[in-house]
Amino acid sequence: TYSDGTTSTNITGIASSPYTFNVSPTSNKTYTVTALKNASCTAIAADMTGSAVITLNQIETTPTVGTITPVNCSNLGSVVLSGLPSGTWKINQSGTVNGTINNSGSSYTVTGLIEGTYTFTVETSTTCVSNPTGSVVIGDNSSTVWNGNTWSKGDPDSTKSIVIASVTPNQPFSTATPVVNGCSLTIDPGVIVTVPTGLTLRITNAVTTNGQLIFEHNSSLIQTTNAVNTGEIVYKRETSVRRYDLTYWSTPVTKSNFTLHDFSPNTLYDKYYYYDSDLKWVIDYNGKMDMAIGRGFSIRAPQTFDINS
């Protein structure tokens, strides 16, 4: 028989050991359990009595889902959960990737989430597992692809890698947007991309051109990290000079074995200059020096140019 102090219940015909009995208390209770003789209703033996304590724990409140951040070029996705219990708690993550998080505080940002769908529950050492949150969908905005007409995941910005898959029928960039930001830039094989005059590409990381990237006069590429670019980049710059005029030049990109003479083959042999580490201009006879990145050069106009216009 077992009793909660108010009600006793007899169980007969027990033929196996151990024996499990089920109760459904509505509050915390202690049950006494005694093995009785059939006739006298006294305990069979002292070691055949005991007690069982049943403690009811409250179901924890379901966390509140806040800001959801998709996967981007720089980081995996995240979600803010608030309404968490006081003290130490455990969050259970289920869905595309399962996991648990032990921490404390009324709000917590779950990070490192790949693209997928998730739900979350919370519990403590003194409360039961909460009901799950609604589905949390983590999207992937890490790249946007230009197919010749539209961007696959919205206009480029600093959180997205830019991929140019085609320029048929349209180029991806126009002066309607004078500055285009991107986390990185990749041009697919065989694709020739033109950046029109007056537009600036501001790319955080590397530019990879499996085709060709052409910057028209007065368009620019700005990179905010010391990234290593790959592939062919063409930078067009226009100047108007007469025979004895000179122009100061510098290049943000390099081409192997491209010399000052290659740049202006008809300039006189002693009219090529470079700016050296002693902060003075030095002649580079016959323009044999390569045009290194970021170095200053002075090149006079070709001798064949008109002296007046």
Side-chain angles (χ1 to χ4, degrees), residues 206-223:
V207 174
T208 302
T209 60
N210 300 301
Q212 191 178 62
L213 179 61
I214 300 173
F215 288 87
E216 295 291 354
H217 178 62
N218 281 342
S219 63
S220 299
L221 170 63
I222 296 176
Q223 288 174 275

Side-chain angles (χ1 to χ4, degrees), residues 14-193:
I14 298 173
S16 62
S17 178
Y19 177 80
T20 302
F21 61 91
N22 297 316
V23 295
S24 301
T26 57
S27 61
N28 298 345
K29 287 187 177 181
T30 300
Y31 287 83
T32 58
V33 183
T34 306
L36 304 174
K37 292 181 179 180
N38 290 336
S40 63
C41 292
T42 58
I44 294 175
D47 59 358
M48 299 297 286
T49 63
S51 62
V53 177
I54 298 177
T55 302
L56 295 182
N57 289 333
Q58 180 183 0
I59 296 176
E60 193 53 70
T61 302
T62 303
T64 300
V65 175
T67 302
I68 299 173
T69 303
V71 178
N72 59 46
C73 183
S74 305
N75 299 290
L76 293 175
S78 66
V79 59
V80 176
L81 299 178
S82 60
L84 301 175
S86 59
T88 301
W89 43 251
K90 180 172 74 171
I91 289 175
N92 305 295
Q93 172 184 311
S94 302
T96 303
V97 177
N98 298 327
T100 59
I101 303 164
N102 293 285
N103 213 306
S104 62
S106 61
S107 178
Y108 184 81
T109 301
V110 181
T111 59
L113 300 175
I114 64 172
E115 182 180 16
T117 302
Y118 303 85
T119 60
F120 299 90
T121 61
V122 67
E123 60 184 292
T124 73
S125 60
T126 59
T127 56
C128 295
V129 179
S130 71
N131 292 319
T133 64
S135 294
V136 174
V137 179
I138 301 295
D140 186 351
N141 289 344
S142 59
S143 63
T144 187
V145 181
W146 178 259
N147 63 7
N149 276 311
T150 59
W151 296 103
S152 64
K153 293 183 178 177
D155 291 341
D157 60 46
S158 59
T159 69
K160 301 174 186 175
S161 293
I162 301 172
V163 179
I164 312 300
S166 175
V167 292
T168 305
N170 299 308
Q171 287 281 339
F173 307 121
S174 74
T175 52
T177 306
V179 178
V180 175
N181 294 289
C183 184
S184 64
L185 172 63
T186 300
I187 298 173
D188 284 354
V191 178
I192 300 175
V193 176

